[in-house]
Structures are given as structure tokens and as C-alpha cells.
Amino acid sequence: MKWEENVRRVVPYTPGEQPEKTGIIKLNTNENPYPPAPGVEAAMAAMEIDKLRLYPAFPEKTELAKALSEHYRIGTDQIFIGVGSDDVLSMAFLTFFNSGQPIFFPDITYSFYDVWAEVYKIPYEVKPLDESFQIRPQDYTQPNGGVVFPNPNAPTGELLSLDMVEEIVRNNRDVVVIVDEAYIDFGGTSALPLIEKYDNMLVVQTFSKSRSMAGMRIGYAMGQPRLIRYLNDVKYSVNSYTMNTAALALGVEAVRDEAYFEQCCHKIIQTRTRAEQELARLGFQFPKSCANFIFASHKSVSAREIFERLKENDIYVRWWDKERIKNFLRITIGTEEQMEALYQALEKIV
Amino acid sequence: MKWEENVRRVVPYTPGEQPEKTGIIKLNTNENPYPPAPGVEAAMAAMEIDKLRLYPAFPEKTELAKALSEHYRIGTDQIFIGVGSDDVLSMAFLTFFNSGQPIFFPDITYSFYDVWAEVYKIPYEVKPLDESFQIRPQDYTQPNGGVVFPNPNAPTGELLSLDMVEEIVRNNRDVVVIVDEAYIDFGGTSALPLIEKYDNMLVVQTFSKSRSMAGMRIGYAMGQPRLIRYLNDVKYSVNSYTMNTAALALGVEAVRDEAYFEQCCHKIIQTRTRAEQELARLGFQFPKSCANFIFASHKSVSAREIFERLKENDIYVRWWDKERIKNFLRITIGTEEQMEALYQALEKIV
């Protein structure tokens, strides 16, 4: 068909499996094993169904923006809210990466970056992590069209020090630098304070991991008002209302309940420490993780085999058939009980 | 700042005002005055908060896709679900309009089309409606990069006959033709059956108008599986999960409760008939509307003046300061009571 010649051809991002059967121990998509803050349930109960006939409020004018602004002590004009950090990052790529110069990101990283670059026809160049899976700031000094990297990086879990983050931003004042902090709450220090100093820096976070709300799709970017305004202009040129009324209402308590939030993060960090011991004991090696997952390879059994054998046991982890990382598994930190089942299953496999 | 040189500069779409104060008679954004189907409330009550920690299901595998498929008697592989029809249309522009040739749409139409064309750098050419605000199919016969039009058209409310819709599709077999049926349930006949015959035709509908769920942001496109697959590929290259768990759950009953749906549409059509009489009596002229709004101009008082005076009376309608239509108001059909208040206010103004 002739019309097919003008279809944008892409190789879409492949998200982790979402099994339809129940009883799965799901350690494959970095979801939080604990439920959302109790206030989220109350907010749902308080929602008025009749209001759903009306278009949602503009995110920047909602309680959600106010809650984020109070939590991070920045203005509501420094926050852009989107449908998960994927929407936020995608909008940022579309808004800021238009120079024709290649954008830079690590070779081993969130595998959506190259997909966004492809779909929006943005040239890109990957910068290999070093031998120990570290980002080298000196790789990001050549002229480029923008820089994006996760901190902690995914799927490695490696944290870049704040000094090194700042070094990358300082060396790239002519382009927008996006620090993707999806996993920052599990042990890292956010680069957020740097936005005051650098008008070209965007910090992106999400409700999907540390706030247990992957299902509601809420992400946000923080930066100086000018950056946020540009983002909003493009967003309002794509869809006037991306955040539905339910997401805007339910997100609020997930931000306000700081005690619950810290308690969940703390539990996950404790379980991760225990997991490091257990996995080491079982013969796994892994970089130090500051995220809610561990990126591990076994000294004798291939990652693929472990992946498949675990799946037979209804335990899902993530594996990529990809250069440099095909002998690694990304294992999400679940509850203590889920992890116990994992260790027992691994005991039999390795 | 140098980074600003590479920002995508756009003039965003301006949605109708969403007043924060209450007590407004809101006839400015074509929302449905009746609440969503009763089953929607039950679905919300049945939602499990704990599930929100997990990513949402893929839309094509949900009850929502199944409900739509049963309602329209097409396969789930013929349905693409997005965040309101704006998301669906935006994705369709990005996916299908890549030829470099200008796409065609009417000069007076949904004012998001040119915004999407601008943001995605798609060349376009507008085809003026005739004197009586009708689309002329013969204007859409030159070579082009795609065609998109609403039926009924917005903001005029004019319906194009199915024969004329088919004429446009038949004359444009080499490109994708999008029929935007946001308002079709208020008196039009859907072009849906034509998708069997034309593999290049996409029919787009929404839950925001006839299904009273603007706040949940649900729209969908229907077409042959190949078209839907291309759309999904691009969508999965932008955001893996655009539909949150709540939207997927709450939409189902809005489709299944056909009796309630028909009852609401019927009431709105009745109120529209009455509104035509009242507005004519008050000295307004308007094309015959098949939508949930009337596009009216007054024989002696300017639209701008009426717009502003109504606003002072807490009645919001829509007005554009735009060539050809600046003497028209788009008045959403509200409840009988809301419309009564409108007639009374107009009585004093005109």
C-alpha cells in the first residue's frame, strides 16, 4: 500500500512482561512491593464521580503541584507533571533536543533513550560505561545536542556522585542536561539543588518506584521556570489534558505522607542489603546498587538460563539479550518473603 | 542562553477556560452535563488500591478493549486506546503524516490540527469551508500527505453525509484519512463500517463527550489491524503506559451501559432542538448542528459582546477572535435548567 511508505517506522521500547496470571513473584519491572500511602485510598474514596464529566484541572494548578512544591521547596512554576517519567522524558526530548547535533547518553542505560531519539529523529551517540559500569564525566565534554543519563543508572544501579553530575552539567551549559532520577530515593542524593545554579538542567522523578504508584502514571520534571514553560508549551501542543482527574487526586497523599514514604524506602534498602549478602553467597557478582534492584551476573550459570528457570518457578526477573549485559539479570527488590522465595529458587538453580 | 536556540518553539493549543470558582454554568468545552454511567461509580469502588503499585495492563489486553470490541463488533486488534482523542490524533499525526507533502484539513475546524502539524513539523494546507460552512469533498482531491477532518465538524456542528466521507476516503487511497468523530453520537452516522473497505481510514472517537468522562481522558481509534499496529508501535516508542489503571477500569461500564448512554444522548438532542427554537427566537443564526453544541451568531449584537456579558453572569461559552468565525459563539448544550438560565441571560443582552 502506498500510504505505508509514509508511516514512521520504529522499533518500539519493550517493557518488562506484565503476566496476566496471578501468583507470580514479579521482580521484573522495578515496581514497589508495598502499597501506596494509606491516604491514597482515602483520596480515591473521596473522589466525586460526577466531576469526571468535566475535563481535568491543569496540573500546575492542582493540589498535586502544590504538594510537590511544598515537598521540594520550589515554586509550582518549577514543576512539570506528566504521565509517568516516560511522558516527561519524551516531552523533554521533543522540546529540547532539536539542534541536529547528536545527544549523548551511556551505552548501558535506560533502553528508552535510543527509542525516543529514533521516534523523534534526534541523532545520538552512546558513551560506553567504563569496565566497572561507571559513567565517565569526561566522555561528555565534546559538542553535543544535549545529555541525558539516569542517576542511579539503570539497569546497573550505580550512583554517580553529585560532584560528577555537576561536572557534566557545568561542561554542557549550551545544551539541556537531563538527570533522570527515577531511582534516587533508594539511597542517592538528588541533584535538585543544582537547578538553582544551572538554568539548563532538568531533574526528572517519578511516582512509579519509591511512591508505589506505577499504575497511576505520574512523573515530574523540576527546573527553572523558563525550562518548565518550554516543556509546557510543547505538552500543550500535543495534548491539553494528559493527567486525568484520578491521577491528579490520588498523587497528593503519596507526596504528603513523608513518614510512610521513608518507611517503605527504608524497608527496601534493608531488603537490598540482605539480598546483596544472599546473592554473593550464591555466587553472584554485582555493582553496588543505589536503586530498588540489583544487576547481577553469576560466576558459572548463564543469566539466560537462570532467567528461564526462575520463570518456570513463577519468579519473573528482567534479562536483556544485549551486548555487554547479556550475562546479567536485573532483580527488583521485593518484600522479604518474595526475596526469600527467590533465594530458595536460586539455591536449586545455581 | 545558547540552549534556548534549540528549543522547539510552538504556539500551543488554547483549551477553553476551566474556571476554578464554582457556580459557573459551563457551556464552553462541550462537556456532557450528565454524570458518567452508574456502573462507573461501582467500578471505582471496586478498584484495589494495592494494584496501583503495579504498572497498568496493556490497553489492548484489558476489559476496556473487550467492551469496545463487543460494542462496535470489531476485533480488539482494530482498536487503539489513548489518553483522550487528542492523544490518539496526536499519535496518528506522528505515525502517518511523514510524506513531506502537505496534509489537508478545513480552515474552520478543530483548532488542534494546525498545532499538531506545527509541533511535528508536518506541512499543511487548509481547505476553506464553503459559504454555508460545509466541507467540499472536491477540495480534497489534489495530491497530499494525508487528510483529517471532524464529522460532525467543530466548531460548526455541521454533519457531512456518509457518501461524502466515503468520497474523500476513496479519492485519497494513497494516504491515511482520519475521520474525527468526537461528536458523532449526537445525531450523526459513524463512518466505522467503511474501515472494512478502506485500509487507509482511521475513525477516532472519545469518552469525553457522549460518555461523560472528559476527566478520565479516554479516546480510541478504529481501523484495520495494520493501521492499529503502526499506531501502537509509535505509541510504545513514546510511552509504554499512557493509560492508567483507573482509566482502564472506569471506562468499561461507560461502554457497556448502552441504555444509559442512549438516554443521555437523547436528552442532549432534545435540549438542542429546544435551544434551536429559543436561539432563533432571540435573533441568532446557526448552521444545523449534529453535535452537543450550537455555533451561533446574532443578527445585531457582536459575539464578543455577548461572550463577555454572559461571562459577567457566570455563564461561560466559547468564542474565538479568529477570521471568519469571530462573530460566532460555540454554545455547549447543557441541562434544560442550564439552558434556561442561558436564554434568560441572553434575553437581557440582545
Side-chain angles (χ1 to χ4, degrees), chain B residues 119-133:
Chain B
V119 76
Y120 297 133
K121 301 179 179 173
I122 301 163
Y124 63 95
E125 228 175 273
V126 297
K127 299 292 175 183
L129 297 183
D130 71 13
E131 292 298 295
S132 59
F133 285 164

Side-chain angles (χ1 to χ4, degrees), chain B residues 97-292:
Chain B
F97 295 161
N98 296 288
S99 70
Q101 291 259 56
I103 60 167
F104 291 171
F105 49 83
D107 65 338
I108 299 169
T109 194
Y110 185 31
S111 39
F112 224 133
Y113 296 157
D114 57 348
V115 176
W116 286 315
E118 296 281 353
V119 76
Y120 297 133
K121 301 179 179 173
I122 301 163
Y124 63 95
E125 228 175 273
V126 297
K127 299 292 175 183
L129 297 183
D130 71 13
E131 292 298 295
S132 59
F133 285 164
Q134 290 274 5
I135 290 174
R136 288 176 302 210
Q138 63 270 31
D139 291 342
Y140 297 80
T141 51
Q142 290 88 30
N144 61 64
V147 175
V148 56
F149 59 91
N151 196 38
N153 196 7
T156 64
E158 286 269 14
L159 186 74
L160 201 64
S161 74
L162 218 49
D163 283 349
M164 285 164 116
V165 172
E166 182 164 8
E167 187 183 334
I168 294 176
V169 180
R170 200 175 39 230
N171 286 334
N172 288 283
R173 294 306 309 274
D174 290 346
V175 297
V176 172
V177 178
I178 303 173
V179 187
D180 175 359
E181 295 190 338
Y183 301 102
I184 197 72
D185 297 322
F186 301 109
T189 306
S190 173
L192 181 61
L194 295 178
I195 67 170
E196 295 304 326
K197 203 160 150 193
Y198 300 101
D199 64 2
N200 62 319
M201 179 190 180
L202 206 59
V203 174
V204 176
Q205 296 192 5
T206 176
F207 281 53
S208 300
K209 316 296 181 186
S210 55
R211 297 187 192 278
S212 302
M213 289 187 72
M216 285 312 282
R217 312 303 293 128
I218 310 171
Y220 50 104
M222 300 177 283
Q224 289 196 14
R226 188 186 292 256
L227 270 177
I228 300 302
R229 215 154 45 227
Y230 285 129
L231 260 181
N232 265 318
D233 279 353
V234 169
K235 172 241 141 92
Y236 281 111
S237 301
V238 167
N239 191 346
S240 306
Y241 307 94
T242 59
M243 300 299 294
N244 67 28
T245 301
L248 292 167
L250 269 51
V252 179
E253 280 307 308
V255 183
R256 293 225 166 116
D257 194 340
E258 302 202 15
Y260 181 83
F261 166 73
E262 274 162 30
Q263 187 195 331
C264 288
C265 290
H266 183 69
K267 279 200 278 187
I268 288 165
I269 292 167
Q270 275 190 316
T271 306
R272 184 181 68 206
T273 305
R274 169 89 199 288
E276 285 166 348
Q277 292 159 6
E278 291 294 321
L279 292 173
R281 184 182 62 78
L282 288 160
F284 285 92
Q285 287 176 312
F286 39 85
K288 168 88 197 110
S289 170
C290 279
N292 68 337

Side-chain angles (χ1 to χ4, degrees), chain A residues 264-278:
Chain A
C264 288
C265 290
H266 182 68
K267 279 201 278 186
I268 289 166
I269 292 168
Q270 277 191 315
T271 306
R272 184 181 67 206
T273 306
R274 168 89 201 288
E276 284 166 347
Q277 292 158 6
E278 291 294 322

Side-chain angles (χ1 to χ4, degrees), chain A residues 1-4 6-13 15-16 18 20 26 29 31-36 40-41 44 47 49-56 58 61 83 86-87 90 94-99 112 115-116 119-121 173-176 199-200 208-209 212-217 226-227 230 232-234 236-247 250 338, chain B residues 1-4 6-13 15-16 18 20 26 29 31-36 40-41 44 47 49-56 58 61 83 86-87 90 94-99 112 115-116 119-121 173-176 199-200 208-209 212-217 226-227 230 232-234 236-247 250 338:
Chain A
M1 303 301 156
K2 183 127 189 326
W3 61 263
E4 289 192 275
N6 298 312
V7 169
R8 190 170 293 247
R9 302 293 176 125
V10 285
V11 181
Y13 173 77
Q18 302 293 6
E20 279 166 87
K26 199 167 170 302
T29 55
E31 289 147 333
N32 198 307
Y34 303 108
V40 174
E41 183 147 24
M44 179 169 282
M47 271 186 66
I49 287 288
D50 179 55
K51 286 248 172 83
L52 297 186
R53 65 178 189 79
L54 300 174
Y55 282 99
F58 300 119
K61 295 193 174 170
V83 182
D86 284 347
D87 181 42
S90 158
L94 187 62
T95 306
F96 299 118
F97 296 161
N98 296 288
S99 70
F112 224 131
V115 176
W116 285 315
V119 76
Y120 296 133
K121 301 178 180 174
R173 294 305 311 273
D174 290 345
V175 297
V176 172
D199 64 1
N200 62 318
S208 300
K209 317 295 182 187
S212 303
M213 290 186 72
M216 284 313 282
R217 313 303 295 125
R226 190 187 292 257
L227 270 178
Y230 285 129
N232 265 319
D233 279 354
V234 170
Y236 282 111
S237 300
V238 167
N239 191 345
S240 306
Y241 308 94
T242 59
M243 301 298 294
N244 66 28
T245 301
L250 270 50
Q338 290 176 319
Chain B
M1 304 303 157
K2 183 128 188 325
W3 62 262
E4 289 192 273
N6 298 311
V7 168
R8 190 171 292 248
R9 304 292 178 124
V10 286
V11 180
Y13 173 77
Q18 302 293 5
E20 281 168 84
K26 199 167 171 300
T29 55
E31 289 147 334
N32 198 308
Y34 303 108
V40 174
E41 183 148 24
M44 178 168 283
M47 270 186 67
I49 288 289
D50 179 56
K51 287 251 173 82
L52 297 186
R53 65 179 189 79
L54 301 174
Y55 282 99
F58 299 119
K61 293 191 174 171
V83 182
D86 284 347
D87 180 42
S90 160
L94 187 62
T95 306
F96 299 118
F97 295 161
N98 296 288
S99 70
F112 224 133
V115 176
W116 286 315
V119 76
Y120 297 133
K121 301 179 179 173
R173 294 306 309 274
D174 290 346
V175 297
V176 172
D199 64 2
N200 62 319
S208 300
K209 316 296 181 186
S212 302
M213 289 187 72
M216 285 312 282
R217 312 303 293 128
R226 188 186 292 256
L227 270 177
Y230 285 129
N232 265 318
D233 279 353
V234 169
Y236 281 111
S237 301
V238 167
N239 191 346
S240 306
Y241 307 94
T242 59
M243 300 299 294
N244 67 28
T245 301
L250 269 51
Q338 290 176 319

